[in-house]
Amino acid sequence: MQASGETMAHLAAGIDEAYGEARQRFIDAGGQVLDASDAFDADAGAAWEPLRAQWVENADAAGIDGAAALAFYEEQLRLLAGE
């Protein structure tokens, strides 16, 4: 199955909207939202590194430049996040 970037963007928009609504209900019910520390972010990134490496390897095996594809995807996420 293939999906265009536009299709994926529409799907992601629906997820973002649902997440925002659920997050607000959580806060309204007394839930507390905390920002992760830089140390936590670094630890989480390190924990995901083996999965990233496997993904790149699988993409390479499928004839796709996995490192370039992952870099592009991560850059798109940064742009969407406004970084």
Side-chain angles (χ1 to χ4, degrees):
M1 180 177 104
Q2 291 185 326
S4 71
E6 183 177 358
T7 300
M8 293 303 293
H10 287 290
L11 291 172
I15 292 169
D16 286 347
E17 182 178 336
Y19 169 78
E21 292 169 0
R23 184 178 189 273
Q24 190 58 53
R25 284 194 307 273
F26 174 75
I27 292 168
D28 292 347
Q32 185 179 10
V33 177
L34 305 173
D35 289 326
S37 69
D38 291 341
F40 179 87
D41 283 343
D43 288 346
W48 281 100
E49 191 53 41
L51 182 62
R52 282 188 202 94
Q54 184 64 55
W55 188 92
V56 168
E57 184 179 317
N58 290 345
D60 288 343
I64 298 166
D65 182 342
L70 184 58
F72 174 80
Y73 173 73
E74 289 173 339
E75 176 63 18
Q76 296 308 300
L77 289 175
R78 282 190 287 279
L79 291 172
L80 288 171
E83 295 181 0

